[in-house]
């Protein structure tokens, strides 16, 4: 059987929906011929393609887009993404308009594009172990805010962070890893001032480390200006590895 084109699928889908809607009053014995036989094709054409307004200037709208995307990810209802040559060419010609900048840990289990169910050109991601903010990360954030006018900056930590755990355990580090651990140390000192131990201590340190990254971001005069004029919002969040959800870290 010749493989139908995408256009043919679209026509078939429209016909299937139209006839399906009339199924109660107009029996149609040929309905089965209108739906492609391959179950994966049936599933693919039934999932909508993710779309958003090209320009998102409201911090609240940007945050809502991320939260809705995370809800889809968490519930296993992620949308199709347009990864076609046409879309890639469009992004090249028209340029990118990401609506949020996200500083997240490099942990392979925490990819922002996936856990917020976003597509090409949607989010400007800065990944570094321990989601720390040094001058290089801050420069990237400033670029996203000034150049792309992203209305939202998020620092995204996560449960069970290896970089935070290493900093809490305080073992010997080699090479440039110590630069990351040293950046997390102020959070370790503060977390250890309480009576927490074990995983509770690590998670407390992780939360404090997210807050310290937020403090580092708002030291920027560029960021301050955008915050003061309400063109930008900055939020701290934490990702729950097994549940897949996001919580705010104030
Ligand atoms: Zn991590």
């Amino acid at each position: 059987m010749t493989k139908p084109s995408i256009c043919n699928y679209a026509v078939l889908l429209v016909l299937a929906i139209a006839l399906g809607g009339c199924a109660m009053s107009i029996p149609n014995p040929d309905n089965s011929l209108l739906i492609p036989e391959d179950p994966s094709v049936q599933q693919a054409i039934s999932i909508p393609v993710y779309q958003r307004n090209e320009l998102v200037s409201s911090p609240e709208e940007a945050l809502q887009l991320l939260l809705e995307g995370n809800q889809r990810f968490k519930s296993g209802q992620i949308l199709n993404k347009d990864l076609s040559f046409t879309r890639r060419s469009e992004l090249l010609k028209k340029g990118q308009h990401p609506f949020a900048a996200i500083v997240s840990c490099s942990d392979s289990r925490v990819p922002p594009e996936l856990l917020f169910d976003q597509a090409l050109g949607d989010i400007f991601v800065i990944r570094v172990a321990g989601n720390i903010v040094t001058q290089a990360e801050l420069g990237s954030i400033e670029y996203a805010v000034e150049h792309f006018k992203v209305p939202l900056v998020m620092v995204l930590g996560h449960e069970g962070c290896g970089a935070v755990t290493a900093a809490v355990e305080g073992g010997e580090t080699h090479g440039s890893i110590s630069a990351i651990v040293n950046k997390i140390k102020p959070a370790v000192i503060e977390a250890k001032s309480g009576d927490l131990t074990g995983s509770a201590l690590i998670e407390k340190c992780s939360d404090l480390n997210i807050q310290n990254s937020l403090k580092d971001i708002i030291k920027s005069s560029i960021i301050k200006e955008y915050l003061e004029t309400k063109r930008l919002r900055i939020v701290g969040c934490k990702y729950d590895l097994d549940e897949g959800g996001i919580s705010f870290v104030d």
Side-chain angles (χ1 to χ4, degrees), residues 103 131-134 138 141-142 153-155 183 186-187 190 205 207-221 223-224 227 234-236 249-250:
V103 183
N131 41 272
I132 57 174
V133 174
T134 66
L138 187 55
I141 297 166
E142 289 175 346
V153 172
M154 176 185 286
V155 174
K183 186 68 181 165
E190 190 176 347
C205 183
D207 292 352
L208 292 169
N209 184 52
I210 292 168
Q211 291 170 351
N212 286 344
S213 290
L214 295 172
K215 289 174 188 169
D216 285 331
I217 293 171
I218 60 173
K219 285 176 186 169
S220 159
S221 58
I223 300 298
K224 269 183 190 164
L227 284 172
I234 301 182
V235 294
V249 178
D250 298 321

PDB file of all heavy atoms in Angstrom, residues 103 131-134 138 141-142 153-155 183 186-187 190 205 207-221 223-224 227 234-236 249-250:
ATOM      1  N   VAL A 103      17.750  28.704  33.889  1.00  0.00           N
ATOM      2  CA  VAL A 103      19.050  28.222  34.347  1.00  0.00           C
ATOM      3  C   VAL A 103      18.785  26.911  35.065  1.00  0.00           C
ATOM      4  O   VAL A 103      18.157  26.897  36.127  1.00  0.00           O
ATOM      5  CB  VAL A 103      19.716  29.199  35.337  1.00  0.00           C
ATOM      6  CG1 VAL A 103      21.096  28.695  35.733  1.00  0.00           C
ATOM      7  CG2 VAL A 103      19.801  30.592  34.744  1.00  0.00           C
ATOM      8  N   ASN A 131      23.061  24.291  38.942  1.00  0.00           N
ATOM      9  CA  ASN A 131      22.319  25.528  38.572  1.00  0.00           C
ATOM     10  C   ASN A 131      22.854  26.774  39.271  1.00  0.00           C
ATOM     11  O   ASN A 131      22.097  27.578  39.825  1.00  0.00           O
ATOM     12  CB  ASN A 131      20.812  25.377  38.794  1.00  0.00           C
ATOM     13  CG  ASN A 131      20.407  24.665  40.071  1.00  0.00           C
ATOM     14  OD1 ASN A 131      20.286  23.440  40.100  1.00  0.00           O
ATOM     15  ND2 ASN A 131      20.226  25.430  41.142  1.00  0.00           N
ATOM     16  N   ILE A 132      24.175  26.895  39.240  1.00  0.00           N
ATOM     17  CA  ILE A 132      24.825  28.072  39.833  1.00  0.00           C
ATOM     18  C   ILE A 132      24.824  29.226  38.822  1.00  0.00           C
ATOM     19  O   ILE A 132      24.642  29.004  37.616  1.00  0.00           O
ATOM     20  CB  ILE A 132      26.283  27.755  40.252  1.00  0.00           C
ATOM     21  CG1 ILE A 132      27.081  27.247  39.051  1.00  0.00           C
ATOM     22  CG2 ILE A 132      26.288  26.741  41.398  1.00  0.00           C
ATOM     23  CD1 ILE A 132      28.565  27.041  39.331  1.00  0.00           C
ATOM     24  N   VAL A 133      25.004  30.422  39.329  1.00  0.00           N
ATOM     25  CA  VAL A 133      25.073  31.590  38.439  1.00  0.00           C
ATOM     26  C   VAL A 133      26.394  32.317  38.679  1.00  0.00           C
ATOM     27  O   VAL A 133      26.570  33.001  39.681  1.00  0.00           O
ATOM     28  CB  VAL A 133      23.879  32.534  38.670  1.00  0.00           C
ATOM     29  CG1 VAL A 133      24.037  33.808  37.842  1.00  0.00           C
ATOM     30  CG2 VAL A 133      22.572  31.842  38.294  1.00  0.00           C
ATOM     31  N   THR A 134      27.320  32.110  37.761  1.00  0.00           N
ATOM     32  CA  THR A 134      28.583  32.847  37.776  1.00  0.00           C
ATOM     33  C   THR A 134      28.475  33.941  36.704  1.00  0.00           C
ATOM     34  O   THR A 134      27.415  34.131  36.105  1.00  0.00           O
ATOM     35  CB  THR A 134      29.775  31.920  37.478  1.00  0.00           C
ATOM     36  OG1 THR A 134      29.656  31.451  36.132  1.00  0.00           O
ATOM     37  CG2 THR A 134      29.801  30.721  38.435  1.00  0.00           C
ATOM     38  N   LEU A 138      25.354  34.595  34.109  1.00  0.00           N
ATOM     39  CA  LEU A 138      24.658  35.877  34.213  1.00  0.00           C
ATOM     40  C   LEU A 138      24.687  36.616  32.874  1.00  0.00           C
ATOM     41  O   LEU A 138      23.691  37.227  32.463  1.00  0.00           O
ATOM     42  CB  LEU A 138      25.283  36.735  35.322  1.00  0.00           C
ATOM     43  CG  LEU A 138      24.549  38.029  35.656  1.00  0.00           C
ATOM     44  CD1 LEU A 138      23.087  37.765  35.995  1.00  0.00           C
ATOM     45  CD2 LEU A 138      25.234  38.748  36.817  1.00  0.00           C
ATOM     46  N   ILE A 141      22.039  35.183  30.720  1.00  0.00           N
ATOM     47  CA  ILE A 141      20.703  35.637  31.141  1.00  0.00           C
ATOM     48  C   ILE A 141      20.468  37.072  30.657  1.00  0.00           C
ATOM     49  O   ILE A 141      19.409  37.401  30.122  1.00  0.00           O
ATOM     50  CB  ILE A 141      20.565  35.553  32.683  1.00  0.00           C
ATOM     51  CG1 ILE A 141      20.677  34.102  33.143  1.00  0.00           C
ATOM     52  CG2 ILE A 141      19.239  36.156  33.139  1.00  0.00           C
ATOM     53  CD1 ILE A 141      20.902  33.955  34.638  1.00  0.00           C
ATOM     54  N   GLU A 142      21.463  37.926  30.861  1.00  0.00           N
ATOM     55  CA  GLU A 142      21.331  39.323  30.418  1.00  0.00           C
ATOM     56  C   GLU A 142      21.088  39.388  28.908  1.00  0.00           C
ATOM     57  O   GLU A 142      20.297  40.201  28.424  1.00  0.00           O
ATOM     58  CB  GLU A 142      22.603  40.108  30.777  1.00  0.00           C
ATOM     59  CG  GLU A 142      22.750  40.367  32.270  1.00  0.00           C
ATOM     60  CD  GLU A 142      24.075  41.048  32.602  1.00  0.00           C
ATOM     61  OE1 GLU A 142      24.971  41.078  31.725  1.00  0.00           O
ATOM     62  OE2 GLU A 142      24.214  41.531  33.744  1.00  0.00           O
ATOM     63  N   VAL A 153      12.583  34.740  33.812  1.00  0.00           N
ATOM     64  CA  VAL A 153      13.825  34.002  34.069  1.00  0.00           C
ATOM     65  C   VAL A 153      13.538  33.023  35.208  1.00  0.00           C
ATOM     66  O   VAL A 153      12.979  33.404  36.233  1.00  0.00           O
ATOM     67  CB  VAL A 153      14.985  34.937  34.463  1.00  0.00           C
ATOM     68  CG1 VAL A 153      16.199  34.125  34.921  1.00  0.00           C
ATOM     69  CG2 VAL A 153      15.380  35.833  33.292  1.00  0.00           C
ATOM     70  N   MET A 154      13.893  31.783  34.984  1.00  0.00           N
ATOM     71  CA  MET A 154      13.670  30.764  36.011  1.00  0.00           C
ATOM     72  C   MET A 154      14.996  30.100  36.381  1.00  0.00           C
ATOM     73  O   MET A 154      15.788  29.755  35.510  1.00  0.00           O
ATOM     74  CB  MET A 154      12.698  29.687  35.502  1.00  0.00           C
ATOM     75  CG  MET A 154      12.493  28.531  36.478  1.00  0.00           C
ATOM     76  SD  MET A 154      11.446  27.199  35.799  1.00  0.00           S
ATOM     77  CE  MET A 154       9.840  27.966  35.887  1.00  0.00           C
ATOM     78  N   VAL A 155      15.225  29.927  37.692  1.00  0.00           N
ATOM     79  CA  VAL A 155      16.323  29.077  38.162  1.00  0.00           C
ATOM     80  C   VAL A 155      15.684  27.758  38.560  1.00  0.00           C
ATOM     81  O   VAL A 155      14.769  27.720  39.388  1.00  0.00           O
ATOM     82  CB  VAL A 155      17.060  29.697  39.358  1.00  0.00           C
ATOM     83  CG1 VAL A 155      18.091  28.712  39.913  1.00  0.00           C
ATOM     84  CG2 VAL A 155      17.743  30.995  38.947  1.00  0.00           C
ATOM     85  N   LYS A 183      31.016  27.361  44.800  1.00  0.00           N
ATOM     86  CA  LYS A 183      29.896  28.290  44.579  1.00  0.00           C
ATOM     87  C   LYS A 183      28.668  27.862  45.379  1.00  0.00           C
ATOM     88  O   LYS A 183      27.845  28.700  45.773  1.00  0.00           O
ATOM     89  CB  LYS A 183      29.575  28.313  43.070  1.00  0.00           C
ATOM     90  CG  LYS A 183      28.536  29.325  42.663  1.00  0.00           C
ATOM     91  CD  LYS A 183      29.017  30.756  42.814  1.00  0.00           C
ATOM     92  CE  LYS A 183      27.926  31.739  42.418  1.00  0.00           C
ATOM     93  NZ  LYS A 183      28.221  33.104  42.881  1.00  0.00           N
ATOM     94  N   PRO A 186      28.206  28.457  50.248  1.00  0.00           N
ATOM     95  CA  PRO A 186      27.416  29.324  51.150  1.00  0.00           C
ATOM     96  C   PRO A 186      26.072  28.701  51.523  1.00  0.00           C
ATOM     97  O   PRO A 186      25.625  28.839  52.669  1.00  0.00           O
ATOM     98  CB  PRO A 186      27.231  30.607  50.319  1.00  0.00           C
ATOM     99  CG  PRO A 186      28.415  30.622  49.403  1.00  0.00           C
ATOM    100  CD  PRO A 186      28.669  29.189  49.053  1.00  0.00           C
ATOM    101  N   ALA A 187      25.458  28.007  50.588  1.00  0.00           N
ATOM    102  CA  ALA A 187      24.183  27.328  50.880  1.00  0.00           C
ATOM    103  C   ALA A 187      24.410  26.174  51.851  1.00  0.00           C
ATOM    104  O   ALA A 187      23.581  25.913  52.733  1.00  0.00           O
ATOM    105  CB  ALA A 187      23.552  26.818  49.583  1.00  0.00           C
ATOM    106  N   GLU A 190      24.842  27.565  55.409  1.00  0.00           N
ATOM    107  CA  GLU A 190      23.546  27.984  55.972  1.00  0.00           C
ATOM    108  C   GLU A 190      22.660  26.779  56.305  1.00  0.00           C
ATOM    109  O   GLU A 190      22.025  26.734  57.370  1.00  0.00           O
ATOM    110  CB  GLU A 190      22.825  28.910  54.981  1.00  0.00           C
ATOM    111  CG  GLU A 190      21.591  29.562  55.597  1.00  0.00           C
ATOM    112  CD  GLU A 190      20.926  30.559  54.637  1.00  0.00           C
ATOM    113  OE1 GLU A 190      21.538  30.935  53.617  1.00  0.00           O
ATOM    114  OE2 GLU A 190      19.782  30.948  54.935  1.00  0.00           O
ATOM    115  N   CYS A 205      19.688  22.429  51.391  1.00  0.00           N
ATOM    116  CA  CYS A 205      20.826  23.096  50.732  1.00  0.00           C
ATOM    117  C   CYS A 205      20.493  23.399  49.273  1.00  0.00           C
ATOM    118  O   CYS A 205      20.838  24.467  48.758  1.00  0.00           O
ATOM    119  CB  CYS A 205      22.056  22.194  50.825  1.00  0.00           C
ATOM    120  SG  CYS A 205      23.518  22.960  50.138  1.00  0.00           S
ATOM    121  N   ASP A 207      17.542  24.025  48.026  1.00  0.00           N
ATOM    122  CA  ASP A 207      16.627  25.173  48.007  1.00  0.00           C
ATOM    123  C   ASP A 207      17.395  26.486  48.223  1.00  0.00           C
ATOM    124  O   ASP A 207      17.157  27.476  47.528  1.00  0.00           O
ATOM    125  CB  ASP A 207      15.559  25.030  49.103  1.00  0.00           C
ATOM    126  CG  ASP A 207      14.596  23.887  48.816  1.00  0.00           C
ATOM    127  OD1 ASP A 207      14.671  23.313  47.705  1.00  0.00           O
ATOM    128  OD2 ASP A 207      13.779  23.566  49.695  1.00  0.00           O
ATOM    129  N   LEU A 208      18.305  26.472  49.194  1.00  0.00           N
ATOM    130  CA  LEU A 208      19.089  27.686  49.483  1.00  0.00           C
ATOM    131  C   LEU A 208      19.984  28.043  48.303  1.00  0.00           C
ATOM    132  O   LEU A 208      20.196  29.222  47.997  1.00  0.00           O
ATOM    133  CB  LEU A 208      19.935  27.473  50.743  1.00  0.00           C
ATOM    134  CG  LEU A 208      19.151  27.351  52.061  1.00  0.00           C
ATOM    135  CD1 LEU A 208      20.073  26.873  53.190  1.00  0.00           C
ATOM    136  CD2 LEU A 208      18.517  28.698  52.429  1.00  0.00           C
ATOM    137  N   ASN A 209      20.479  27.014  47.627  1.00  0.00           N
ATOM    138  CA  ASN A 209      21.336  27.252  46.460  1.00  0.00           C
ATOM    139  C   ASN A 209      20.551  27.892  45.314  1.00  0.00           C
ATOM    140  O   ASN A 209      21.067  28.768  44.607  1.00  0.00           O
ATOM    141  CB  ASN A 209      21.956  25.923  46.011  1.00  0.00           C
ATOM    142  CG  ASN A 209      22.919  26.099  44.870  1.00  0.00           C
ATOM    143  OD1 ASN A 209      23.839  26.931  44.929  1.00  0.00           O
ATOM    144  ND2 ASN A 209      22.722  25.348  43.809  1.00  0.00           N
ATOM    145  N   ILE A 210      19.299  27.482  45.148  1.00  0.00           N
ATOM    146  CA  ILE A 210      18.431  28.115  44.141  1.00  0.00           C
ATOM    147  C   ILE A 210      18.230  29.587  44.503  1.00  0.00           C
ATOM    148  O   ILE A 210      18.337  30.480  43.641  1.00  0.00           O
ATOM    149  CB  ILE A 210      17.066  27.382  44.069  1.00  0.00           C
ATOM    150  CG1 ILE A 210      17.257  25.980  43.485  1.00  0.00           C
ATOM    151  CG2 ILE A 210      16.060  28.181  43.238  1.00  0.00           C
ATOM    152  CD1 ILE A 210      16.044  25.065  43.640  1.00  0.00           C
ATOM    153  N   GLN A 211      17.979  29.835  45.784  1.00  0.00           N
ATOM    154  CA  GLN A 211      17.774  31.221  46.231  1.00  0.00           C
ATOM    155  C   GLN A 211      19.035  32.062  46.025  1.00  0.00           C
ATOM    156  O   GLN A 211      18.959  33.232  45.636  1.00  0.00           O
ATOM    157  CB  GLN A 211      17.358  31.231  47.697  1.00  0.00           C
ATOM    158  CG  GLN A 211      15.960  30.667  47.930  1.00  0.00           C
ATOM    159  CD  GLN A 211      15.634  30.448  49.395  1.00  0.00           C
ATOM    160  OE1 GLN A 211      16.492  30.565  50.262  1.00  0.00           O
ATOM    161  NE2 GLN A 211      14.393  30.109  49.676  1.00  0.00           N
ATOM    162  N   ASN A 212      20.193  31.454  46.267  1.00  0.00           N
ATOM    163  CA  ASN A 212      21.450  32.198  46.061  1.00  0.00           C
ATOM    164  C   ASN A 212      21.661  32.543  44.589  1.00  0.00           C
ATOM    165  O   ASN A 212      22.172  33.618  44.257  1.00  0.00           O
ATOM    166  CB  ASN A 212      22.637  31.388  46.593  1.00  0.00           C
ATOM    167  CG  ASN A 212      22.683  31.380  48.109  1.00  0.00           C
ATOM    168  OD1 ASN A 212      22.031  32.206  48.764  1.00  0.00           O
ATOM    169  ND2 ASN A 212      23.452  30.467  48.689  1.00  0.00           N
ATOM    170  N   SER A 213      21.242  31.629  43.710  1.00  0.00           N
ATOM    171  CA  SER A 213      21.348  31.921  42.269  1.00  0.00           C
ATOM    172  C   SER A 213      20.427  33.084  41.897  1.00  0.00           C
ATOM    173  O   SER A 213      20.800  33.949  41.090  1.00  0.00           O
ATOM    174  CB  SER A 213      20.983  30.675  41.446  1.00  0.00           C
ATOM    175  OG  SER A 213      21.975  29.694  41.593  1.00  0.00           O
ATOM    176  N   LEU A 214      19.226  33.099  42.494  1.00  0.00           N
ATOM    177  CA  LEU A 214      18.306  34.219  42.236  1.00  0.00           C
ATOM    178  C   LEU A 214      18.936  35.537  42.695  1.00  0.00           C
ATOM    179  O   LEU A 214      18.848  36.565  42.007  1.00  0.00           O
ATOM    180  CB  LEU A 214      16.975  33.993  42.964  1.00  0.00           C
ATOM    181  CG  LEU A 214      16.129  32.794  42.497  1.00  0.00           C
ATOM    182  CD1 LEU A 214      14.944  32.570  43.436  1.00  0.00           C
ATOM    183  CD2 LEU A 214      15.634  33.012  41.072  1.00  0.00           C
ATOM    184  N   LYS A 215      19.588  35.500  43.876  1.00  0.00           N
ATOM    185  CA  LYS A 215      20.239  36.716  44.395  1.00  0.00           C
ATOM    186  C   LYS A 215      21.355  37.165  43.461  1.00  0.00           C
ATOM    187  O   LYS A 215      21.563  38.364  43.244  1.00  0.00           O
ATOM    188  CB  LYS A 215      20.809  36.446  45.800  1.00  0.00           C
ATOM    189  CG  LYS A 215      19.747  36.292  46.874  1.00  0.00           C
ATOM    190  CD  LYS A 215      20.386  35.877  48.203  1.00  0.00           C
ATOM    191  CE  LYS A 215      19.319  35.526  49.239  1.00  0.00           C
ATOM    192  NZ  LYS A 215      19.916  34.878  50.443  1.00  0.00           N
ATOM    193  N   ASP A 216      22.092  36.196  42.918  1.00  0.00           N
ATOM    194  CA  ASP A 216      23.181  36.548  41.990  1.00  0.00           C
ATOM    195  C   ASP A 216      22.628  37.212  40.726  1.00  0.00           C
ATOM    196  O   ASP A 216      23.252  38.117  40.166  1.00  0.00           O
ATOM    197  CB  ASP A 216      23.972  35.285  41.603  1.00  0.00           C
ATOM    198  CG  ASP A 216      24.881  34.819  42.724  1.00  0.00           C
ATOM    199  OD1 ASP A 216      25.330  35.671  43.524  1.00  0.00           O
ATOM    200  OD2 ASP A 216      25.141  33.598  42.808  1.00  0.00           O
ATOM    201  N   ILE A 217      21.459  36.759  40.285  1.00  0.00           N
ATOM    202  CA  ILE A 217      20.873  37.311  39.052  1.00  0.00           C
ATOM    203  C   ILE A 217      20.440  38.763  39.261  1.00  0.00           C
ATOM    204  O   ILE A 217      20.692  39.621  38.402  1.00  0.00           O
ATOM    205  CB  ILE A 217      19.675  36.449  38.585  1.00  0.00           C
ATOM    206  CG1 ILE A 217      20.165  35.069  38.148  1.00  0.00           C
ATOM    207  CG2 ILE A 217      18.928  37.130  37.442  1.00  0.00           C
ATOM    208  CD1 ILE A 217      19.064  34.054  37.877  1.00  0.00           C
ATOM    209  N   ILE A 218      19.814  39.025  40.408  1.00  0.00           N
ATOM    210  CA  ILE A 218      19.282  40.390  40.592  1.00  0.00           C
ATOM    211  C   ILE A 218      20.375  41.399  40.966  1.00  0.00           C
ATOM    212  O   ILE A 218      20.089  42.587  41.114  1.00  0.00           O
ATOM    213  CB  ILE A 218      18.121  40.437  41.618  1.00  0.00           C
ATOM    214  CG1 ILE A 218      18.584  39.956  42.989  1.00  0.00           C
ATOM    215  CG2 ILE A 218      16.951  39.633  41.129  1.00  0.00           C
ATOM    216  CD1 ILE A 218      17.503  40.144  44.062  1.00  0.00           C
ATOM    217  N   LYS A 219      21.625  40.929  41.090  1.00  0.00           N
ATOM    218  CA  LYS A 219      22.732  41.877  41.276  1.00  0.00           C
ATOM    219  C   LYS A 219      23.014  42.639  39.980  1.00  0.00           C
ATOM    220  O   LYS A 219      23.622  43.706  39.996  1.00  0.00           O
ATOM    221  CB  LYS A 219      24.007  41.125  41.700  1.00  0.00           C
ATOM    222  CG  LYS A 219      23.998  40.650  43.137  1.00  0.00           C
ATOM    223  CD  LYS A 219      25.251  39.837  43.432  1.00  0.00           C
ATOM    224  CE  LYS A 219      25.184  39.232  44.829  1.00  0.00           C
ATOM    225  NZ  LYS A 219      26.262  38.222  45.025  1.00  0.00           N
ATOM    226  N   SER A 220      22.588  42.080  38.868  1.00  0.00           N
ATOM    227  CA  SER A 220      22.838  42.706  37.565  1.00  0.00           C
ATOM    228  C   SER A 220      22.029  43.983  37.411  1.00  0.00           C
ATOM    229  O   SER A 220      20.811  43.995  37.619  1.00  0.00           O
ATOM    230  CB  SER A 220      22.461  41.715  36.454  1.00  0.00           C
ATOM    231  OG  SER A 220      22.228  42.413  35.248  1.00  0.00           O
ATOM    232  N   SER A 221      22.673  45.057  37.015  1.00  0.00           N
ATOM    233  CA  SER A 221      21.955  46.322  36.819  1.00  0.00           C
ATOM    234  C   SER A 221      20.983  46.219  35.649  1.00  0.00           C
ATOM    235  O   SER A 221      19.914  46.842  35.652  1.00  0.00           O
ATOM    236  CB  SER A 221      22.948  47.464  36.582  1.00  0.00           C
ATOM    237  OG  SER A 221      23.759  47.184  35.461  1.00  0.00           O
ATOM    238  N   ILE A 223      19.345  43.481  34.729  1.00  0.00           N
ATOM    239  CA  ILE A 223      18.181  42.715  35.216  1.00  0.00           C
ATOM    240  C   ILE A 223      17.316  43.592  36.130  1.00  0.00           C
ATOM    241  O   ILE A 223      16.084  43.580  36.036  1.00  0.00           O
ATOM    242  CB  ILE A 223      18.650  41.451  35.967  1.00  0.00           C
ATOM    243  CG1 ILE A 223      19.467  40.542  35.041  1.00  0.00           C
ATOM    244  CG2 ILE A 223      17.451  40.713  36.565  1.00  0.00           C
ATOM    245  CD1 ILE A 223      18.725  40.007  33.852  1.00  0.00           C
ATOM    246  N   LYS A 224      17.982  44.354  36.998  1.00  0.00           N
ATOM    247  CA  LYS A 224      17.260  45.236  37.930  1.00  0.00           C
ATOM    248  C   LYS A 224      16.339  46.184  37.177  1.00  0.00           C
ATOM    249  O   LYS A 224      15.184  46.400  37.567  1.00  0.00           O
ATOM    250  CB  LYS A 224      18.264  46.056  38.753  1.00  0.00           C
ATOM    251  CG  LYS A 224      18.669  45.400  40.057  1.00  0.00           C
ATOM    252  CD  LYS A 224      19.603  46.320  40.809  1.00  0.00           C
ATOM    253  CE  LYS A 224      20.227  45.592  41.991  1.00  0.00           C
ATOM    254  NZ  LYS A 224      21.400  46.299  42.519  1.00  0.00           N
ATOM    255  N   LEU A 227      13.326  44.403  35.935  1.00  0.00           N
ATOM    256  CA  LEU A 227      12.451  44.024  37.053  1.00  0.00           C
ATOM    257  C   LEU A 227      11.652  45.234  37.535  1.00  0.00           C
ATOM    258  O   LEU A 227      10.441  45.133  37.793  1.00  0.00           O
ATOM    259  CB  LEU A 227      13.285  43.458  38.209  1.00  0.00           C
ATOM    260  CG  LEU A 227      13.807  42.024  38.046  1.00  0.00           C
ATOM    261  CD1 LEU A 227      14.773  41.688  39.175  1.00  0.00           C
ATOM    262  CD2 LEU A 227      12.661  41.021  38.015  1.00  0.00           C
ATOM    263  N   ILE A 234      11.351  36.962  37.900  1.00  0.00           N
ATOM    264  CA  ILE A 234      12.333  35.907  38.152  1.00  0.00           C
ATOM    265  C   ILE A 234      11.755  34.955  39.189  1.00  0.00           C
ATOM    266  O   ILE A 234      11.272  35.390  40.240  1.00  0.00           O
ATOM    267  CB  ILE A 234      13.670  36.497  38.659  1.00  0.00           C
ATOM    268  CG1 ILE A 234      14.223  37.471  37.624  1.00  0.00           C
ATOM    269  CG2 ILE A 234      14.675  35.399  38.935  1.00  0.00           C
ATOM    270  CD1 ILE A 234      15.552  38.064  38.006  1.00  0.00           C
ATOM    271  N   VAL A 235      11.809  33.675  38.895  1.00  0.00           N
ATOM    272  CA  VAL A 235      11.264  32.685  39.831  1.00  0.00           C
ATOM    273  C   VAL A 235      12.273  31.553  40.061  1.00  0.00           C
ATOM    274  O   VAL A 235      13.065  31.215  39.185  1.00  0.00           O
ATOM    275  CB  VAL A 235       9.939  32.073  39.321  1.00  0.00           C
ATOM    276  CG1 VAL A 235       8.841  33.118  39.259  1.00  0.00           C
ATOM    277  CG2 VAL A 235      10.118  31.397  37.978  1.00  0.00           C
ATOM    278  N   GLY A 236      12.217  31.005  41.269  1.00  0.00           N
ATOM    279  CA  GLY A 236      13.012  29.828  41.599  1.00  0.00           C
ATOM    280  C   GLY A 236      12.095  28.620  41.663  1.00  0.00           C
ATOM    281  O   GLY A 236      11.021  28.689  42.259  1.00  0.00           O
ATOM    282  N   VAL A 249      10.309  27.686  44.720  1.00  0.00           N
ATOM    283  CA  VAL A 249      11.232  27.892  45.832  1.00  0.00           C
ATOM    284  C   VAL A 249      11.382  29.408  45.984  1.00  0.00           C
ATOM    285  O   VAL A 249      12.031  30.057  45.162  1.00  0.00           O
ATOM    286  CB  VAL A 249      12.618  27.260  45.553  1.00  0.00           C
ATOM    287  CG1 VAL A 249      13.571  27.547  46.709  1.00  0.00           C
ATOM    288  CG2 VAL A 249      12.476  25.766  45.326  1.00  0.00           C
ATOM    289  N   ASP A 250      10.727  29.951  46.987  1.00  0.00           N
ATOM    290  CA  ASP A 250      10.741  31.411  47.159  1.00  0.00           C
ATOM    291  C   ASP A 250      11.978  31.865  47.923  1.00  0.00           C
ATOM    292  O   ASP A 250      12.535  31.130  48.716  1.00  0.00           O
ATOM    293  CB  ASP A 250       9.468  31.861  47.900  1.00  0.00           C
ATOM    294  CG  ASP A 250       8.224  31.522  47.080  1.00  0.00           C
ATOM    295  OD1 ASP A 250       8.275  31.669  45.845  1.00  0.00           O
ATOM    296  OD2 ASP A 250       7.219  31.107  47.696  1.00  0.00           O
TER     297      ASP A 250
END
